[in-house]
Every structure is written in structure tokens, then in C-alpha cells.
Amino acid sequence: MLLLLALFTPWSAVNLLDFYWLRGGRMAPSALEGADYRWSGLLAYLAGVLSQLPFIDSALFRGPMVRALGGADISWLVGWLAAAGLYWLMMRRRAAAWAAAPGEGAAG
């Protein structure tokens, strides 16, 4: 179950941030065709997964930060914030262009 949490949490961060914050809840399927979206999303996802490693506490692996946190597993939170933050940094210029031209890339 922890493996699923570690893999799906960063991906949900990228998707939720893109759809609700950057695109304002509107998106046409053709908007997903840009290479910048794919590479930015994949890089943010990978960074989110990797950033969780020091904070994971499981039977198979215990990250070095777990002891400092008193045994708390906050890997899901770290992964979500890392993926969302990096994706936002990479896509903020693109989001400004979407806001300036609301008919492009969004289903109205």
C-alpha cells in the first residue's frame, strides 16, 4: 500500500495542480499534446517520487529523516509538495499565456 501511495501521490499533485490551478478547471484534450506538458509533468513526477525517499518508513526501507521526525512517515506530503512546486515553476509562464488567451487550450 505504501508503494502505491509513493507512486500515486506525486502524480496526483501534477494533475490536480495543472487542471485546477494552472488551467482553471477547463481543458481540451488537444491541450495535452504539447511536449512541454509531458516533459514538465514527468520531471516533476520523478522529482516528487525521489524526494519522498528520505521520509519513507516501511518494513523494507527506512529513510534517514524518519528518525529525526520521531518515526513519522511524511513522505506523501513531501512528494506532493515537491512535485506540485516543481511543476508550477516549470509551467508558470505557460499558465500566464493560457490566462491571457482563455479560448486556447481550454474547453469553454
Side-chain angles (χ1 to χ4, degrees):
M1 191 62 96
L2 182 62
L3 177 64
L4 292 176
L5 182 67
L7 294 176
F8 289 139
T9 301
W11 191 247
S12 70
V14 170
N15 284 315
L16 292 171
L17 181 79
D18 186 76
F19 184 72
Y20 288 109
W21 194 349
L22 297 177
R23 297 181 195 259
R26 300 174 310 190
M27 184 184 326
S30 62
L32 298 176
E33 295 174 2
D36 59 338
Y37 173 80
R38 287 190 300 256
W39 286 112
S40 298
L42 287 172
L43 288 173
Y45 169 71
L46 184 60
V49 170
L50 292 176
S51 69
Q52 294 179 90
L53 293 178
F55 300 92
I56 288 179
D57 185 20
S58 72
L60 299 175
F61 177 75
R62 183 177 179 119
M65 294 301 295
V66 174
R67 182 166 291 129
L69 294 170
D73 182 340
I74 61 166
S75 60
W76 61 273
L77 181 61
V78 172
W80 200 96
L81 292 173
L86 183 58
Y87 185 71
W88 180 79
L89 286 173
M90 289 190 285
M91 296 298 288
R92 66 178 186 242
R93 286 192 191 118
R94 186 81 182 212
W98 293 328
E104 188 174 320

